[in-house]
Amino acid sequence: MDRLRKKIRDISDFPKPGIVFKDITPLIKDPATLRLTVHQLLQPFLCRNITAVAGMEARGFIFGSLVAWELGLPFVPLRKPGKLPYEVESVSYDLEYGSATLEAHIDAFNADDRILLIDDLLATGGTARASCELVEKLGATVEACAFVVELDFLKGRNLLSNYEVHSLVHF
């Protein structure tokens, strides 16, 4: 995972003073490292009964759609309000620097679906927890959550104690 760590740069005071943003754009710019990242994200789930992959807006779309493609599964985007054209269900939550809402189409999942949630970063756990709640509100089961980066000092994993969590790089 050292190869991935070297492709993640720190941006100080973004999006506001005091925050050190973990920028994954150098990682996704390098095709070989991106491929390695995707394969490491999906590796623990190859023999599992996952029926779809969901990714949180926006960087979760990058990794989630690639994982879904590799697994031959549908990808479901969990979007910010007002971005989906059909009827939606939503969940609001707190972030480390504000609040937000995620939405999904009301027909995004089936009752027997087992979902792998993917995002680039696990920080305080608010987005991931809200994503789990949204999936379950729509009747599916969260099989696991997978992240490229986990900021251990923010203890986001604590909000996901009812779920399996797989993270590639820890800071």
Side-chain angles (χ1 to χ4, degrees):
M1 295 304 106
D2 195 47
R3 182 171 159 194
L4 303 182
R5 181 184 297 273
K6 289 178 181 178
K7 294 288 184 176
I8 299 167
R9 65 180 165 203
D10 289 347
I11 306 293
S12 296
D13 299 322
F14 184 82
K16 70 177 202 172
I19 302 290
V20 178
F21 186 83
K22 296 296 183 189
D23 181 16
I24 52 102
T25 51
L27 186 152
I28 61 175
K29 183 180 176 185
D30 178 353
T33 306
L34 178 58
R35 180 177 295 278
L36 173 64
T37 303
V38 170
H39 284 240
Q40 291 301 313
L41 278 172
L42 66 84
Q43 193 64 37
F45 310 107
L46 287 174
C47 296
R48 301 277 280 275
N49 187 26
I50 294 167
T51 60
V53 176
M56 300 80 136
E57 191 163 338
R59 291 172 303 276
F61 292 2
I62 297 166
F63 298 103
S65 60
L66 290 170
V67 166
W69 182 71
E70 285 287 331
L71 293 172
L73 296 173
F75 175 74
V76 176
L78 306 180
R79 305 270 341 240
K80 294 175 183 173
K83 302 291 184 179
L84 293 170
Y86 189 60
E87 294 177 56
V88 298
E89 187 62 71
S90 65
V91 172
S92 295
Y93 60 101
D94 292 325
L95 292 166
E96 56 273 20
Y97 47 83
S99 62
T101 300
L102 283 176
E103 296 181 339
H105 283 150
I106 60 170
D107 60 356
F109 305 109
N110 296 314
D112 59 345
D113 276 336
R114 301 189 60 80
I115 308 304
L116 174 59
L117 284 169
I118 303 278
D119 205 359
D120 69 320
L121 181 100
L122 175 59
T124 61
T127 303
R129 178 65 188 179
S131 297
C132 292
E133 289 174 12
L134 183 56
V135 167
E136 291 167 347
K137 197 174 188 180
L138 289 167
T141 300
V142 175
E143 178 72 16
C145 303
F147 305 93
V148 178
V149 175
E150 183 172 347
L151 303 179
D152 296 332
F153 65 95
L154 291 175
K155 302 184 186 323
R157 188 178 283 254
N158 292 348
L159 284 182
L160 301 174
S161 61
N162 293 332
Y163 306 98
E164 179 181 346
V165 175
H166 172 61
S167 300
L168 302 182
V169 179
H170 294 263
F171 289 98

